[in-house]
Amino acid sequence: MTGLRMTRRDALKTASALAVLPSVSGLFHSVAAQSAPEQWTGYTICDHCNHMPMCGIKFDAVGNHVIGIHNWNEHRQKFLCSKGIATLQRLYNPNRLLYPLKRTNPKGSADPGWVRCSWDEALKTIASKLTEVRSKYGAESVLFFAGDPKEPRPPLMRLARYFGSPCYANESSTACNKGTVLSAELTVGQECNGGPNPKAKCIALIGTNKAWSAPHGFTRGIAGARAKGSKLLVIDPRRTPFAQIADLHLQLKQGTDAALALAMCRIIIKEGLTDKEFIEKWVTGFDAFKKACEPWTPEKASRVTGVPAEDIVKAARMWADGPSTFALSSQSISHSCNGVSGNRAYYCLAAICGFIDRPGTIAFNNWPLDYVRWDDGYTKGFYDEEWWLKPEQKARRFDKKFAPVWHETQIFMSANNLPEVVKEGKIHAFVGFGFNVMIWPSWLEYEHAIRKLDFSFATDYFYRDESHHDMDFVLPAAMNFERYAPFAVHGNVVSVRKPVQPLGEAWEDWKIALTIGSMIDTPEHFFDGDPVKACDSILKDWGLTYGGCQEKLPHPVPTKYFPKGQFEKYAKGLLREDGKPGFRTPSGKIELDSSIIRKHFKVGVPQFKAPIAPTKQYPLKLINGTRKPYMTHSKTREDAPYLFELEPWSTVDISPEDAKARGIKEGDFVQITSPHSKRVVMARACVTILVQKGLIGMQYGWRGNMETQCLIPRNHWDPISGYGPYNETCVQIRKAPEGVLPVRHEPVL
Ligand SMILES: Nc1nc2c(c(=O)[nH]1)N[C@H]1C(S)=C(S)[C@@H](COP(=O)(O)OP(=O)(O)OC[C@H]3O[C@@H](n4cnc5c(=O)[nH]c(N)nc54)[C@H](O)[C@@H]3O)O[C@H]1N2
Ligand SMILES: Nc1nc2c(c(=O)[nH]1)N[C@H]1C(S)=C(S)[C@@H](COP(=O)(O)OP(=O)(O)OC[C@H]3O[C@@H](n4cnc5c(=O)[nH]c(N)nc54)[C@H](O)[C@@H]3O)O[C@H]1N2
Ligand SMILES: [Mo]
């Protein structure tokens, strides 16, 4: 698909599809035709999945009205998927939040009594309430939180910094890819991963289904690498699209990665396939690691993982005959109670073969030392890294007891114990930019915690009852077509936007955060509230300006800030801040036996811990979170009816055997229960060999009685990352009685 045009008929269709939703009458935009004579071309960046790929969108506008969208062909990520195309419907969704909302009834009321208020009133109240809470309980009693949206994060982190609160958390510190990044940091010193690489003899896809979660570039890349002779190894409990074309698919049981990887390492060590010179020079803890592998014979690993022993041997040899690389899951292995150990075992697999930062292996980014990923703030200077790392700031955070390794190593706080710390009186206010409370397992406990706070507000595109019900204010965020910040970075090129004006009174998140910052601190720290000035403060060190880049549109602009790519950076002193050769670990070497984990948990080598076992009453393992190509988390349902049409109900993947045993047929409505909740979750059965017997797969993010997080317990956290066991729950499933249908929305109270 190359583009989408929205006609008046489509808009009316959208409006009628949305009529069933609860709405706050009079507060939302109505689809009114705006006429303007001039047609022009605009450029923006897609924000409809998790904000990370930053795909380019070229659009046609008449006056201030976007009328069509296309692939932006000059952009590094030019292909739009179904979600990208649906952004136009989302932009003109009649349920969009377009004005600031203020509550008029006490928290806990069934009806919050939302009324429209002015920006002036909202911002003045927010600034005064936040400073009041700060003077009463200290700045750290305000938790700043960004959900999945990455784009608002740099100024939000700056806001927390100058407000004086080290309590800044986000989706990455809750559940997403920082669990894998942490595993890499503890082992090889910093983020390190791979992907489709034609120089690799073997490409392993481990716990990731990128054919659906990163459709265009990745899939093309795999096809290209295979055409050049790379072998494909897939390690996944499900028979994903890539597993179907793989040279070898290890269909392990959920949560058994540590056993599988340790067994592969044992074979490689026994068969003398390691890179001895590399280990000698760059690796520490090899003897302890070898001992940890020793019990993991292929037969024992086979009993634990369910993978045939001969396949484990075959995979180990295929991997060792490198150079080999892997695309290690951003989050799925982290969603078990032994996640970091599982991830680390794969990093050890790469390390003992020397498959690190060489052509055809997993590699470190080629970034200047002061660059951090753009969603973490672009540069250490922009969010003032020194301040966050000070022991006195770390000491004010409340995740030390809950996740000590995380606390020691990470700048973002873990907020997974929010209900407990609110109960202990440590947090009194909450600031949520793009906040979805259903991110958490058993999220009602978090909702109740937020209800108890002295003050809270959120910014969002839509009013979301489950997340916003007990907030004091909800502020309308401008969408991707309507904002300047942030700019995109791909490799060494920068692309900026040419947007339309926001609808109604929406403001872009950067403007909201920077304006609040200007009110509670010196305006100079916050660029007088101006997102473009804030971007320029970063771009000036890269030899660019926002306006200068706009003049070059549609071409992205190269910057000399990013150095030319190099391999074996560890040997050249390019990784460590002190300029010495080696890795960014405490020892300067790759730590198979992690000194930081050992300090807190006594044992520093990756260990196997048995996943939660099914019982007679709850015999099926639920992988709760598998991505679908046309869904993103809790979004892309009512937000964009075009996507809703593709899948109007939550689905559950179930194997033909398990379905037959329960009399379940394709398309039946079914009920799912877990020992952790009285709630009965509904979905539509999809009978498929995508899942093996004993496993079911579902998405999270549906509302009403299709919401699955209630099935997941708030215990069994991975002690190293503090992440929740989203993939660890055991459930029962049965056919729903005739006439019992799923409900799309339920009141929060
Ligand atoms: N069971 C289970 N739970 C999981 C996972 C799983 O696999 N299984 N995965 C975890 C992972 S990896 C992730 S990333 C999280 C998802 O993280 P969530 O934060 O739950 O993500 P969304 O559902 O996308 O919610 C984002 C909210 O932000 C709003 N929003 C979107 N863009 C913007 C913006 O630019 N500005 C503002 N102000 N608002 C915006 C949206 O309207 C929506 O209300 O869930 C985690 N939880
Ligand atoms: N369309 C779409 N794209 C998205 C998103 C979306 O919601 N929709 N979300 C975005 C975000 S925030 C993220 S984090 C990424 C996630 O991207 P992916 O990681 O590709 O997402 P999943 O579909 O969860 O795929 C994870 C795979 O891990 C497997 N798995 C589960 N448990 C285990 C285990 O214990 N061991 C192993 N080896 N494998 C396991 C599952 O079977 C599944 O096939 O996708 C991003 N892209
Ligand atoms: Mo994620």
Side-chain angles (χ1 to χ4, degrees), residues 207-209 213 236-238 255 257 331-332 627-628 631-633:
T208 185
N209 180 22
S213 61
D236 198 304
R238 297 188 311 148
D257 293 87
Q331 81 320 337
S332 66
R627 272 65 178 163
K628 285 279 186 83
M631 293 280 162
T632 310
H633 318 147

Side-chain angles (χ1 to χ4, degrees), residues 400-478:
K400 187 170 179 180
K401 221 168 71 205
F402 176 68
V405 169
W406 181 275
H407 176 269
E408 177 173 337
T409 55
Q410 304 300 307
I411 283 178
F412 308 149
M413 193 177 67
S414 171
N416 289 341
N417 59 341
L418 186 66
E420 288 71 30
V421 292
V422 169
K423 220 174 266 164
E424 289 164 19
K426 290 183 182 151
I427 292 288
H428 290 272
F430 180 90
V431 174
F433 275 56
F435 163 63
N436 169 36
V437 72
M438 299 187 300
I439 191 173
W440 279 296
S442 303
W443 57 271
L444 268 174
E445 293 191 37
Y446 295 81
E447 157 63 20
H448 291 160
I450 288 170
R451 188 175 299 164
K452 289 200 200 98
L453 299 176
D454 296 16
F455 184 74
S456 57
F457 79 93
T459 75
D460 208 301
Y461 298 155
F462 293 89
Y463 173 76
R464 313 275 194 199
D465 199 44
E466 63 288 326
S467 301
H468 300 149
H469 191 92
D470 291 299
M471 299 252 161
D472 292 279
F473 288 90
V474 188
L475 305 177

Side-chain angles (χ1 to χ4, degrees), residues 129-145:
K129 287 283 183 190
L130 291 182
T131 40
E132 189 186 313
V133 169
R134 176 169 62 184
S135 56
K136 259 192 174 155
Y137 308 105
E140 68 278 11
S141 69
V142 180
L143 171 61
F144 292 81
F145 189 93

Side-chain angles (χ1 to χ4, degrees), residues 47 49-51 90 145-152 171-172 174-177 330-331 335 432-441 458-462 464 467-468 475 477-478 483 509 624-627 632-635 639 699-701 703 708-709 712 726-727:
D47 61 342
C49 70
N50 64 344
H51 292 198
R90 189 195 58 183
F145 189 93
D148 184 48
K150 315 290 186 296
E151 299 204 358
E171 142 278 12
S172 308
T174 300
C176 191
N177 94 314
S330 58
Q331 81 320 337
H335 291 178
F433 275 56
F435 163 63
N436 169 36
V437 72
M438 299 187 300
I439 191 173
W440 279 296
T459 75
D460 208 301
Y461 298 155
F462 293 89
R464 313 275 194 199
S467 301
H468 300 149
L475 305 177
R483 57 192 189 199
D509 288 299
N624 179 23
T626 57
R627 272 65 178 163
T632 310
H633 318 147
S634 72
K635 306 182 296 184
D639 299 5
Q699 304 84 59
Y700 68 105
R703 299 178 165 81
T708 53
Q709 302 285 45
I712 315 291
Y726 301 104
N727 288 346

Side-chain angles (χ1 to χ4, degrees), residues 555-705:
H555 300 284
V557 186
T559 158
K560 291 211 167 69
Y561 171 70
F562 293 95
K564 214 168 163 284
Q566 293 197 51
F567 289 108
E568 298 190 25
K569 294 183 274 295
Y570 50 87
K572 300 171 188 161
L574 295 175
L575 297 179
R576 296 177 58 88
E577 299 241 346
D578 61 15
K580 289 188 183 148
F583 297 82
R584 271 190 217 165
T585 52
S587 63
K589 292 194 170 189
I590 293 178
E591 298 195 356
L592 304 184
D593 183 1
S594 160
S595 54
I596 299 177
I597 299 181
R598 197 168 355 107
K599 189 163 74 190
H600 295 281
F601 294 102
K602 295 205 174 76
V603 181
V605 286
Q607 285 178 297
F608 172 72
K609 191 164 112 191
I612 297 168
T615 59
K616 215 167 155 206
Q617 210 182 345
Y618 298 102
L620 300 170
K621 196 87 196 223
L622 164 65
I623 292 192
N624 179 23
T626 57
R627 272 65 178 163
K628 285 279 186 83
Y630 34 79
M631 293 280 162
T632 310
H633 318 147
S634 72
K635 306 182 296 184
T636 58
R637 293 187 173 94
E638 291 91 342
D639 299 5
Y642 160 60
L643 298 169
F644 212 18
E645 269 180 34
L646 298 174
E647 190 163 279
W649 307 104
S650 172
T651 58
V652 50
D653 293 327
I654 181 167
S655 71
E657 297 96 312
D658 287 324
K660 193 168 169 216
R662 290 164 176 77
I664 294 169
K665 293 201 188 64
E666 175 76 17
D668 281 350
F669 286 116
V670 295
Q671 297 179 320
I672 302 112
T673 47
S674 94
H676 311 294
S677 173
K678 290 198 182 69
R679 287 176 64 92
V680 175
V681 172
M682 289 200 69
R684 200 154 208 189
C686 179
V687 181
T688 167
I689 57 166
L690 183 76
V691 287
Q692 50 184 317
K693 185 170 178 288
L695 187 75
I696 64 169
M698 295 184 79
Q699 304 84 59
Y700 68 105
W702 288 89
R703 299 178 165 81
N705 68 359

